[in-house]
């Protein structure tokens, strides 16, 4: 397992339950991992940007499957380097990872394959971008083309705000990711996330979720990498899921294969459920974070076998992934200052107490201090996750666990799942 966040902790937790490890004598390694992952894997100090070192480690330890968690090493081509040496890898090639690595690439693919998405313009200079605003109406959707840790999207309510945001983007606010900017039509509707596994030919749905990007309650404040999520997303019902597969996901997989860059791994479609049907907002080439945490809590299939089947191009021979009918909900506990300059070093305690009633706490940005005590070491620090018979029940269980955590320098949203909780209450009133 390559990675160190909450997504990788959730994947490691689920992989540790796989028959590939429990019955076949396998061993799980994680690089670099985190204190939570260390409960299930041997941590290894590897720099994932050093492809030769990763290949050398895999060769020396006879690794049977490499799972690449985060997007950056995928966009950097690590999967290609490993496959070139004969290793089975879960994760797309560098060419295929452009679906996340370049917003413009994905928009152009959608245009070629007639995949429903927002109208757009690709811009490479500030002057061009400012002129392109004439083709759109407020609010303006501005996206840094490259990877920006989930923070490269600005929704500008006015023309003045848009012009200022574009100046910031081209001025280096997002580093190299903002060297090109995509300006998009603003879509109205409700967002949902849909996940499938694919080996480049077969497609296997693996669940839906709805996350909360804004830092504050009621979806206020700046965008973040995600402050919480729940699964399944009831708004993405069977009919809309089928439409999303037929009109968005399947055409994407076909187009990637037809263009010589078959996609293998998890494909995460961010969707807007518009009055005209689902439209693609963006693709991610890895499990979402924190969506992965709720998906893994619901997954009842053997994750190791599914990921290995993907890597070995035999996903079509596998039984469909079974997920619990129950709802999973996760609350992100973040360090003060996030998403700006998070306060590191804050002490964390009482995780055992938080998990006493069945909740699961996934480590996202943690470390051990010189005395071996758990501390905050990032912006998003913990993912407190619980199951329930409904979103309301899962929400209540998750927040009970949150209240048990001792993290004085942390904060969290208090309304994760609020839309569906309100809908559940309305349905109950109607009988």
């Amino acid at each position: 397992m390559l990675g160190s966040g909450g997504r990788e902790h959730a994947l490691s937790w689920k992989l540790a339950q796989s028959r590939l490890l429990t019955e076949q004598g396998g061993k799980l390694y994680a690089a670099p991992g985190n204190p939570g992952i260390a409960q299930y894997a041997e941590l290894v100090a590897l720099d994932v940007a050093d492809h030769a070192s990763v290949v050398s480690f895999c060769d020396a330890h006879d690794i049977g499957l490499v799972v690449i968690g985060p997007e950056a090493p995928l966009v950097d081509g690590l999967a290609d380097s490993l496959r070139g040496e004969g290793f089975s890898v879960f994760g797309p090639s560098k060419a295929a990872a452009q679906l996340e690595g370049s917003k413009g690439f994905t928009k152009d693919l959608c245009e070629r394959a007639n995949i429903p998405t927002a109208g757009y313009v690709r811009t490479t200079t500030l002057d061009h971008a400012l002129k392109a605003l004439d083709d759109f109406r407020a609010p303006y959707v501005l996206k840094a083309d490259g990877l920006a840790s989930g923070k490269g999207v600005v929704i500008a309510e006015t023309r003045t705000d848009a012009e200022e945001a574009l100046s910031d983007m081209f001025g280096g606010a997002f580093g190299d990711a903002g060297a090109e900017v995509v300006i998009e039509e603003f879509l109205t509707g409700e967002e949902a996330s849909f996940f499938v596994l694919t080996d480049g030919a077969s497609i296997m749905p693996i669940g839906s979720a709805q996350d909360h990007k804004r830092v504050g309650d009621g979806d206020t404040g700046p965008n973040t990498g995600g402050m919480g999520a729940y699964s399944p997303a009831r708004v993405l019902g069977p009919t809309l899921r089928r439409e999303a597969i037929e009109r968005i996901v399947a055409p994407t997989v076909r187009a990637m294969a037809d263009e010589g860059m078959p996609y293998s791994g998890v494909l995460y479609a961010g969707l807007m459920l518009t009055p005209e049907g689902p439209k693609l907002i963006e693709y991610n080439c890895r499990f979402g974070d924190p969506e992965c945490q709720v998906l893994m809590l619901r997954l009842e299939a053997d994750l190791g076998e599914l990921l290995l089947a993907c890597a070995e191009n035999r996903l079509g021979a596998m039984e469909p992934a079974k997920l619990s009918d129950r709802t999973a909900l996760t609350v992100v506990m973040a360090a003060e200052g996030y998403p700006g300059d998070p306060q590191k070093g804050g002490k964390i305690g009482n995780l055992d107490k938080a998990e006493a009633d069945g909740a699961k706490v996934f480590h996202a940005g943690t470390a051990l201090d010189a005395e071996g005590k758990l501390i905050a070491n990032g912006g998003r620090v913990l993912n407190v996750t619980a199951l329930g018979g409904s979103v309301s029940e899962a929400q209540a269980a998750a927040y009970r666990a949150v209240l048990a955590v001792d993290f004085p320098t942390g904060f969290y949203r208090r309304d994760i799942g609020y839309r569906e909780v309100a809908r559940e209450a309305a349905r109950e009133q109607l009988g």
Side-chain angles (χ1 to χ4, degrees), residues 267-307:
L267 188 56
Y268 161 10
L271 305 174
M272 184 68 78
L273 307 182
T274 75
E276 296 81 35
K279 292 187 178 183
L280 182 70
I281 301 172
E282 64 182 10
Y283 274 128
N284 291 316
C285 63
R286 36 68 190 184
F287 282 102
D289 189 349
E291 295 93 338
C292 182
Q293 289 82 314
V294 289
L295 291 176
M296 291 304 104
L297 215 62
R298 293 184 57 227
L299 183 65
E300 296 180 347
D302 187 310
L303 180 66
E305 292 187 342
L306 289 177
L307 302 192

Side-chain angles (χ1 to χ4, degrees), residues 8 10 15 21 46 60 69 128 177 181 194 208 255 321-322 336 388 393 403:
E8 288 76 35
L15 285 170
L21 297 176
L46 278 178
H128 181 211
V181 174
F194 186 51
S208 65
K322 180 172 174 52
E336 286 292 349
E393 289 181 9
L403 291 172

Side-chain angles (χ1 to χ4, degrees), residues 202-221:
S202 298
I203 295 170
M204 179 186 293
I206 198 168
S208 65
Q210 190 170 67
D211 74 339
H212 300 64
K213 289 292 188 189
R214 300 278 187 162
V215 73
D217 290 356
D219 294 325
T220 58

Side-chain angles (χ1 to χ4, degrees), residues 64-90:
L65 173 66
V66 182
V67 178
I68 303 176
E71 63 274 21
L74 291 167
V75 172
D76 189 42
L78 180 56
D80 303 80
S81 297
L82 287 161
R83 286 194 182 101
E85 297 298 326
F87 295 103
S88 295
V89 182
F90 179 79

Side-chain angles (χ1 to χ4, degrees), residues 1 21 25-31 42-46 52-66 82 87:
M1 166 60 61
L21 297 176
K27 183 174 182 178
L28 185 61
Y29 296 91
E42 179 179 325
L43 302 190
V44 181
L46 278 178
S53 292
V54 177
V55 168
S56 178
F57 177 87
C58 292
D59 187 51
H61 293 79
D62 195 24
I63 300 299
L65 173 66
V66 182
L82 287 161
F87 295 103

